[in-house]
Amino acid sequence: MTDVAAKDSLTVRDNRTGEEYDIAITDNTIAAKDLGQIRLTDDDPGLATYDPGFVNTASCRSAVTFIDGDKGILEYRGYPIEQLAEKSNFLEVAYLLIHGSLPTKEQYDTWVHEITYHTFVHENVKGFMHGFRYDAHPMGMLMASVGALSTFYPDARNISDADNRHMQIVRMIAKMPTLGAWSFRHAQGKPFVYPDNDLGYTANFLSMLFKMSEQKFEADERLVKALDVLFILHADHEQNCSTNAVRSVGSSQVDPYSAVAAGVGALYGPLHGGANEAVLRMLKRIGSKDNIPAFIEGVKDGNERLMGFGHRVYKNFDPRATIIKKACDDVFEVTGVNPLLEIAKELEKIALEDEYFVKRKLYPNVDFYSGLIYEAFQFPPEMFTVLFAIGRTPGWLAQWSELVQDKDQKIARPKQIYTGDRELTFTAASERWA
Ligand code: ACO
């Protein structure tokens, strides 16, 4: 072995056999399959890694989003999130994520035009959305209706064709707000509002949510901007649970609607996109600043979880939380202050000084304050994750697109460590129960 090779490899000694192996290190990782050569006997399947929750396993190479969790850095295609939130808009960020670079003026205009003119859905979609129970959770409705779009666009299964992929990507980014808004209207027993193509992406979404009998719904520009920023902040977050679900399901080469429906399902859970809904419920349960110390004690005793705190990747601060805190002020200027804000700020202050949270590097994540903003818009908590899903759609699709073009990718199929019984003898029920 040369010195260079020695530097870029890992020497492993298997103490069971005394054998040594050199395993190449590339991009600070070793290929898990290289461990397969470490075996006791020829018919031994070889050494594998055990990593529930993929805590230390890279599943792909990706050029979409960069995160440095220790330094609190988040970049989409190399651009810092702070700059995008301040100077860009959601559709431009969506273009950036999908195409890999910022659009020219002409590319941007074409993109916005394409998205705007695909906001309508087939009338039959409206029909089946009406079929949900009156109290259906809007995330369940969104998951089902995104999945159902695959039946309206059967050509979407042709995932190897770049133009076809582009068409489905445009359709999905365009139609998510329509499906999301209609899920909301259904729960309220209100008529569905068709898209208004004179309005921008986020303003149109607000119109489909809140328009009643007026000719035109024109939301306060500051609210439109704040929601647009929230969409930008949620647009991608590398290999998170829902993106992993999109990639995992997409790896079977299914159409992108089915893959994104899996992402919506993953996002639904309280440890992921459902966290902001859980934060709001938690703040309401705490009820007043006086109850915070008892609540914190409950968390430290393991009886509670401080929702909106902690992150698998960010161990210092979540840059999105900082931007959201500022957006809170902009929104409350229009809507008036949410009384829960005081409880949230006090909770954050106490937790950040408490040894339990400091030791575990637990900081507010993107969802700690986003629920407060959404509530100021008068969204019920069930809608919060729908808003997250709309924002995350370009990220899911950028990651899906990368996956289907990545020659290294295979159908996702982890190994297991089998812990059950073996080679039992089956006795028929008639004998067992005799
Ligand atoms: N409240 C109290 N204790 C916590 C919290 C929390 N919010 N988060 C982590 N901990 C504790 C754990 O109990 C554990 O303590 P221990 O070492 O004594 O056992 C330690 O901190 C490490 O936590 P893990 O659960 O191992 O961290 P993991 O990376 O697996 O979990 C997660 C990350 C799921 C986000 C977790 O912090 C959590 O449940 N937070 C609350 C839910 C939430 O806000 N989710 C939104 C995430 S952001 C997003 O999806 C957009």
Side-chain angles (χ1 to χ4, degrees):
M1 193 170 35
T2 66
D3 282 350
V4 175
K7 252 172 98 181
D8 294 334
S9 73
L10 177 75
T11 301
V12 180
R13 185 183 148 85
D14 184 346
N15 291 323
R16 299 171 302 177
T17 58
E19 288 282 333
E20 280 197 0
Y21 303 83
D22 285 331
I23 294 175
I25 299 176
T26 313
D27 296 330
N28 210 25
T29 56
I30 57 164
K33 72 174 166 38
D34 286 350
L35 297 176
Q37 63 184 300
I38 305 175
R39 52 184 76 191
L40 287 175
T41 56
D42 285 348
D43 56 358
D44 175 353
L47 206 66
T49 55
Y50 175 59
D51 190 5
F54 303 120
V55 181
N56 195 24
T57 297
S59 65
C60 62
R61 291 173 184 281
S62 179
V64 181
T65 288
F66 173 81
I67 299 177
D68 182 328
D70 289 331
K71 297 198 180 114
I73 295 173
L74 169 60
E75 294 170 357
Y76 296 159
R77 301 284 189 184
Y79 293 98
I81 190 68
E82 292 82 359
Q83 294 177 22
L84 295 172
E86 191 190 333
K87 297 180 194 161
S88 186
N89 65 58
F90 180 62
L91 281 193
E92 188 181 37
V93 167
Y95 184 99
L96 173 68
L97 286 168
I98 300 287
H99 294 91
S101 58
L102 289 169
T104 61
K105 166 95 175 79
E106 201 186 342
Q107 287 167 333
Y108 177 75
D109 289 345
T110 307
W111 174 247
V112 172
H113 179 85
E114 282 184 302
I115 301 283
T116 307
Y117 284 88
H118 282 92
T119 47
F120 277 71
V121 294
H122 193 289
E123 277 295 288
N124 288 1
V125 173
K126 199 171 110 184
F128 81 73
M129 287 186 85
H130 276 307
F132 282 96
R133 240 178 80 130
Y134 68 95
D135 59 351
H137 195 294
M139 268 306 264
M141 290 182 69
L142 185 68
M143 177 167 56
S145 51
V146 177
L149 287 185
S150 74
T151 67
F152 291 83
Y153 305 110
D155 56 319
R157 71 171 69 107
N158 186 8
I159 59 166
S160 54
D161 181 86
D163 291 341
N164 192 297
R165 284 201 302 272
H166 176 77
M167 187 70 252
Q168 314 314 330
I169 286 171
V170 165
R171 281 183 177 141
M172 228 175 309
I173 294 174
K175 293 179 201 310
M176 284 296 266
T178 313
L179 300 176
W182 287 6
S183 306
F184 172 70
R185 301 283 291 203
H186 176 77
Q188 303 207 323
K190 289 182 181 158
F192 294 172
V193 177
Y194 286 104
D196 180 344
N197 288 349
D198 292 338
L199 297 173
Y201 187 86
T202 304
N204 169 52
F205 177 52
L206 287 169
S207 165
M208 291 189 290
L209 288 162
F210 297 120
K211 184 169 181 293
M212 291 306 289
S213 59
E214 62 271 50
Q215 278 295 314
K216 199 163 190 72
F217 182 87
E218 283 176 74
D220 188 297
E221 269 308 310
R222 290 167 294 179
L223 295 183
V224 175
K225 172 71 186 153
L227 191 54
D228 206 72
V229 167
L230 282 161
F231 284 157
I232 293 173
L233 298 184
H234 286 95
D236 196 51
H237 213 235
E238 51 117 304
Q239 306 313 311
N240 57 89
C241 175
S242 57
T243 301
N244 181 58
V246 171
R247 279 183 172 264
S248 186
V249 171
S251 76
S252 74
Q253 302 192 349
V254 74
D255 67 88
Y257 299 99
S258 304
V260 167
V264 177
L267 195 64
Y268 202 168
L271 293 190
H272 191 11
N276 50 14
E277 184 178 336
V279 170
L280 248 266
R281 293 192 202 287
M282 173 189 79
L283 293 176
K284 284 182 180 162
R285 197 156 49 85
I286 295 173
S288 94
K289 285 208 275 187
D290 300 341
N291 298 331
I292 293 176
F295 176 79
I296 294 275
E297 283 315 305
V299 173
K300 286 162 46 176
D301 291 345
N303 304 325
E304 304 266 10
R305 192 149 266 239
L306 177 47
M307 300 311 285
F309 257 65
H311 199 277
R312 173 61 61 80
V313 177
Y314 296 118
K315 299 295 176 197
N316 203 337
F317 71 97
D318 180 340
R320 302 166 302 171
T322 316
I323 301 168
I324 285 203
K325 218 169 159 183
K326 151 103 186 46
C328 265
D329 298 336
D330 298 344
V331 169
F332 293 152
E333 201 183 291
V334 183
T335 62
V337 175
N338 187 330
L340 295 177
L341 180 67
E342 256 194 54
I343 301 178
K345 282 191 169 164
E346 184 67 14
L347 194 54
E348 177 185 352
K349 190 169 151 272
I350 293 178
L352 290 181
E353 285 165 0
D354 192 292
E355 164 78 6
Y356 175 94
F357 299 92
V358 174
K359 209 172 102 201
R360 290 170 177 77
K361 298 188 172 214
L362 300 171
Y363 296 86
N365 59 48
V366 67
D367 281 330
F368 192 66
Y369 285 103
S370 64
L372 290 171
I373 298 190
Y374 295 148
E375 199 178 58
F377 275 87
Q378 302 193 335
F379 288 119
E382 303 78 56
M383 264 304 281
F384 297 174
T385 324
V386 172
L387 302 166
F388 189 157
I390 293 170
R392 183 54 55 89
T393 300
W396 286 332
L397 292 166
Q399 301 270 352
W400 168 79
S401 197
E402 190 173 63
L403 164 96
V404 298
Q405 294 174 78
D406 181 349
K407 301 261 179 300
D408 278 358
Q409 286 297 325
K410 292 175 179 303
I411 186 164
R413 206 303 185 187
K415 284 195 167 218
Q416 65 167 9
I417 301 171
Y418 179 68
T419 59
D421 292 330
R422 291 282 328 276
E423 299 182 354
L424 303 179
T425 303
F426 179 75
T427 315
S430 55
E431 282 181 50
R432 292 195 323 273
W433 301 339

